[in-house]
């Protein structure tokens, strides 16, 4: 069930981004958090994920703040 929800979230995100005239989706990076209740939280979506590689420290800090 989580896989189906992840796919649905990713497709909905891609469709939303694709509506923007300046967006050209060749590759989509989607960062998702699954909480203990198995709810999905979209943290970030990038149409050029390689351009934002290295954000792990920022995401780690955000997750520590949430707990």
């Amino acid at each position: 069930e989580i896989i189906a929800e992840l796919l649905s979230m990713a497709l909905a995100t891609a469709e939303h981004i694709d509506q923007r005239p300046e967006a050209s989706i060749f590759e989509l990076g989607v960062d998702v958090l699954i909480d203990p209740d198995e709810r999905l939280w979209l943290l970030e979506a990038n149409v050029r994920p390689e351009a934002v590689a290295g954000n792990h420290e920022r995401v780690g800090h955000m997750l520590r703040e949430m707990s």
Side-chain angles (χ1 to χ4, degrees), residues 11-29:
L11 287 173
T13 301
E15 289 172 354
H16 179 75
I17 291 172
D18 197 41
Q19 292 176 8
R20 300 179 61 114
E22 72 277 7
S24 174
I25 299 178
F26 174 74
E27 182 178 13
L28 179 66

Side-chain angles (χ1 to χ4, degrees), residues 4 9 17 20 23 25 30 32 34 44 47 52 54 58:
M9 179 184 284
I17 291 172
R20 300 179 61 114
I25 299 178
V30 180
V32 178
I34 303 173
E44 181 176 53
V47 294
V52 294
R58 182 178 59 82

Side-chain angles (χ1 to χ4, degrees), residues 33 41 43 61-67:
L33 174 75
W41 299 87
L43 300 177
H61 175 73
M62 183 173 60
L63 293 174
R64 285 189 297 277
E65 291 292 317
M66 291 172 58
S67 59

Side-chain angles (χ1 to χ4, degrees), residues 44 46 48-57:
E44 181 176 53
N46 300 292
R48 293 186 50 211
E50 77 283 355
V52 294
N55 282 340
H56 300 357
E57 287 182 24

